[in-house]
Structures are given as structure tokens and as C-alpha cells.
Amino acid sequence: MAEILFPALFVLLALGLPVAFAMAISVFVALSFGSSYPNLVVVKEMFSGLDSFPLLAVPFFILAAEIMTGGAVTLAMLRLAQSLVGHLKGGLGHANVVSSAMFAGISGSALADAAGPGTMMIRMMEKGGYGRAYAGALTISSSVVGPIIPPSITMIIYAMQDQQVSVGSLFMAGVLPGILITAAVLLANARVSHKRGYASGAPMPPLAEIARIALYALPALMLVVLIVGGIRFGVFTPTEASVIAVFYALFVGMFVYRSLRVADLPAIILRAALVSGAVLLILGAARAFAWVLIIEGVPQFLAETIIAWDLSPIVFLLAVNALLLVFGLFMDPLPGVMILVPILAPISFALGIDPDHFAIIVIVNLTLGLTTPPVGSLIFVVSSAVNIKPSALIKEMPPFFIALMGALLLITFIPALSTWLPTLSGF
């Protein structure tokens, strides 16, 4: 069936079908023409992929992010970011990057970062004299930290595929790599801003003003502390944490910032339901796709072949980086995790690679695929949000892609970036 499955998938993706439909239809085609299994198996496997208690965390985290992304919360983040770095050369660009890092602690999604505060920052940067295409490319690059800094939907799905890691350990493992990626994009923005003369034009605010702005943004920033701290100290499970995050977001929106009204809730719930439905449809289709690979023996064959090569851990990780970067050109992170992790994670564990370290490498690689054509979801989200041609965004991407690749190599060669905090936290 594999000889039918992959060509069918690539043809359907080339025709522009959404990833979920492309995977599900390719499985139907493979079963119809390459096996004696009934097509009803596809539906069964899709349901099995969604019949999971930990997976309940995904729609609840999405709902919490939708509640928290109200005007007051987003503006609080942007004001804090601008007060901290807005006075530097290329200050609005720096504020864009820092606000994405802070917003990552709420959304857990690169696409949400780009569509929310990222879109607002593009308009602010354009008014400040930056090229719109450059502002869009910077937003695409800074949004990469969305699934890296906890909470992260991708990390939840990864933990379901690899029993060697937990959601809590992955949340801790993503903090330092997320900060490193943020620093890399800041350096790239500083270099381009100096070259093009993107000045700040704004003086550094007094420390008292910065403290006041930080205090105003603190309730929103405390969400990630509540989630990670509660999971670390065993107060609640990741699924329970997602529900608590929803109630915390409601409390902050209604009673702290007072920007959320009861009348706003139906629209918020509808948006969260639509996003959750799309994510879960992808996960169900990916489960059916992975099932075909398993019964065909593809994971076992690849594992035996790679182990027989007797690669060193470093060479293996470099090969995985290359594989995942190519895979990310055509596949979004969530199906990528469900298809590839059951194949690659056991091999990495057999080679003595720390599971948390390997998980972060996989997640960062697949997330970088959101910034590259032909799929490049971040490119098309930003393109449609602020009316920029994708080709214009892609032309501005090289400095940032180089910075992101440099961060990826550091994460690959310095395991402590991914393992120190989980070890320190007792995971």
C-alpha cells in the first residue's frame, strides 16, 4: 500500500487540497487499490486517534488563547514589548519579536501569534517607516516560537506519540530554545535595521513607566507560570491545566482587564470550535495515515536500516534535521509529529539521545516548515492578513532563515539547552 499511499498524498497536496483531506483520501485510495482491508478501517482509525483524554487539552488551550487574545491583553503585551526594546535601533521590529515571545506563552500556536499581535505589529511597523514586506517576514520568523515556548499544542501531541517524554518535561524543555530563537531573530532584525537605517525615533521610557506597564501586563503573563508550575508540582494534569487556563482567562478578561463581555463569548467559542475542529481533523487523518505505515512495516524497516548503518548520535541528528526540514516543506507540524515520531524517536533513544532533546529538535524543525514554501502556512496567513504577495515576503526571509538555522544548530549540538530545565525541575 505504501507505493500507492505516498504518490496519492503528493498528488493531492500538489492539487492544493488541505492536508487533512489529502491524507484521508490517500489512505482511502491505498486501501481501495492496494489491500483487502475495508474502507471503514479509515474511519475507525481516525476515531481512535481522537479518542484520548490528554487530547482534550488541545481544544481547551485553543479556547483559552481565544479568550486571552482580546484587545486589552494584546495591547498590554505590545506596550510592554515596546517599552522594553522600542527605543533601540530597529525598535519596532524588536518589539514585534518580543511580543511574539510573550504571546507564545498564551497561544501555543505559531499561526495564532502571526494572525494576532503579529498583524497589529506589521501595521505599526509600516507606519514607523519599515517596509511592509520586511515587517511581514519578521512577523513570520518571530512567530516560530509559538509552539516552542509553553504551553504548546505540538508538544501535547508529541507526548502522546512518545512514551519517553511527558507534557510537563517538554514544556520545560522548550523554554531555553524558545528564548534562543527569539534572540536569533532579534539579532537578525538588528543587523538589517542598521543596514537599512530603521531608526527608533522613541526615547527609552522611565523605569517607573516600564514597571507600571509590566505590572499591567503581569496577569496575562502569569498564565504560563500557572500552567507550567501547576503541572510541575503535580497540582493538576496537562488536561486539567487546559481547563484551568480557560477559567483563568475568563477571570482576567472580565475582572482584571474588563475587556471581555458575556456577549462576546458565543463568537469566541465559535472561533475556538472552528480552529479545534480543523486541528482534530488533521490529527485524525494523520492517525489513519500512520496506521497504514505501521501495518506495512515502514517504521520497523527504517529503524532496522538506520540502526544497521551504525551512525553516531551527532550524524544521526544532522540527518534527522535534513529529513525534517525537507518533510516540513510539504507537511504541517501536527501530522508530521504523528507520522514521524513513532519512527524516529525509538531510534534516537536506542542511540542514547535524550528524549526531551530529540523532541525539541523535531518540533523546531517541523515548525520551521511553516516559514518555507510551498506549504508555508505562516507565509499565507500573513500574506492574507495584511495583503502582501507571498513572493514579496519570501524575498525578505533569507536573513531570518539563516538566524533560525543557526539557532537550530545550537539546539542540536548543545543538548543542555533542552535538558537543563527539565532536569532542574525534577522531570
Side-chain angles (χ1 to χ4, degrees), residues 9 23 107 140 191 204 228 232 239 243 256 272 299 342 359 371 404 406:
L9 176 65
M23 286 192 295
S107 69
I140 291 169
R191 183 176 182 277
M204 181 179 179
V228 176
R232 163 62 187 87
T239 304
V243 178
V256 178
T371 70
L404 292 171

Side-chain angles (χ1 to χ4, degrees), residues 1-305:
M1 286 189 290
E3 64 274 9
I4 299 175
L5 183 70
F6 285 105
L9 176 65
F10 291 135
V11 168
L12 292 171
L13 289 175
L15 292 175
L17 260 68
V19 172
F21 292 104
M23 286 192 295
I25 293 173
S26 64
V27 174
F28 274 115
V29 172
L31 289 179
S32 299
F33 297 99
S35 80
S36 58
Y37 289 97
N39 285 334
L40 187 62
V41 172
V42 181
V43 180
K44 172 188 173 296
E45 289 300 322
M46 290 181 70
F47 177 79
S48 297
L50 303 179
D51 187 18
S52 168
F53 178 73
L55 199 57
L56 285 174
V58 173
F60 281 114
F61 274 129
I62 291 173
L63 177 57
E66 286 289 343
I67 295 171
M68 288 289 282
T69 52
V73 175
T74 303
L75 289 175
M77 296 282 192
L78 294 180
R79 288 180 61 198
L80 177 59
Q82 194 163 355
S83 70
L84 293 173
V85 294
H87 60 282
L88 302 173
K89 198 173 187 68
L92 282 176
H94 292 324
N96 187 338
V97 178
V98 173
S99 63
S100 289
M102 291 189 294
F103 198 77
I106 294 176
S107 69
S109 165
L111 298 180
D113 279 12
T119 300
M120 296 175 65
M121 281 305 307
I122 290 173
R123 296 190 175 98
M124 291 174 61
M125 289 178 66
E126 189 177 13
K127 290 179 181 178
Y130 293 75
R132 185 192 294 185
Y134 175 78
L138 179 61
T139 296
I140 291 169
S141 306
S142 64
S143 298
V144 166
V145 297
I148 313 301
I149 295 177
S152 166
I153 294 171
T154 308
M155 289 179 181
I156 295 171
I157 304 305
Y158 189 104
M160 294 174 60
Q161 310 305 314
D162 184 1
Q163 300 303 313
Q164 300 294 331
V165 300
S166 67
V167 174
S169 69
L170 289 184
F171 279 5
M172 296 305 297
V175 174
L176 292 182
I179 293 173
L180 174 64
I181 291 171
T182 300
V185 179
L186 283 172
L187 288 173
N189 175 65
R191 183 176 182 277
V192 176
S193 295
H194 277 78
K195 184 178 179 180
R196 299 186 183 182
Y198 290 147
S200 166
M204 181 179 179
L207 292 178
E209 177 70 9
I210 295 176
R212 188 185 65 81
I213 295 172
L215 186 63
Y216 183 71
L218 186 61
L221 296 175
M222 283 299 294
L223 178 62
V224 65
V225 178
L226 174 68
I227 293 169
V228 176
I231 294 173
R232 163 62 187 87
F233 293 106
V235 180
F236 38 70
T237 67
T239 304
E240 292 165 345
S242 66
V243 178
I244 291 171
V246 170
F247 283 100
Y248 180 82
L250 286 170
F251 174 79
V252 169
M254 288 183 170
F255 301 108
V256 178
Y257 293 113
R258 297 182 181 181
S259 61
L260 180 65
R261 301 172 300 167
V262 174
D264 298 328
L265 292 180
I268 289 173
I269 293 171
L270 177 61
R271 289 199 303 271
L274 291 173
V275 174
S276 300
V279 170
L280 295 175
L281 188 60
I282 290 173
L283 295 179
R287 168 59 183 261
F289 193 94
W291 173 81
V292 173
L293 296 181
I294 291 170
I295 64 171
E296 286 286 281
V298 173
Q300 299 90 325
F301 172 76
L302 289 177
E304 292 170 0
T305 302

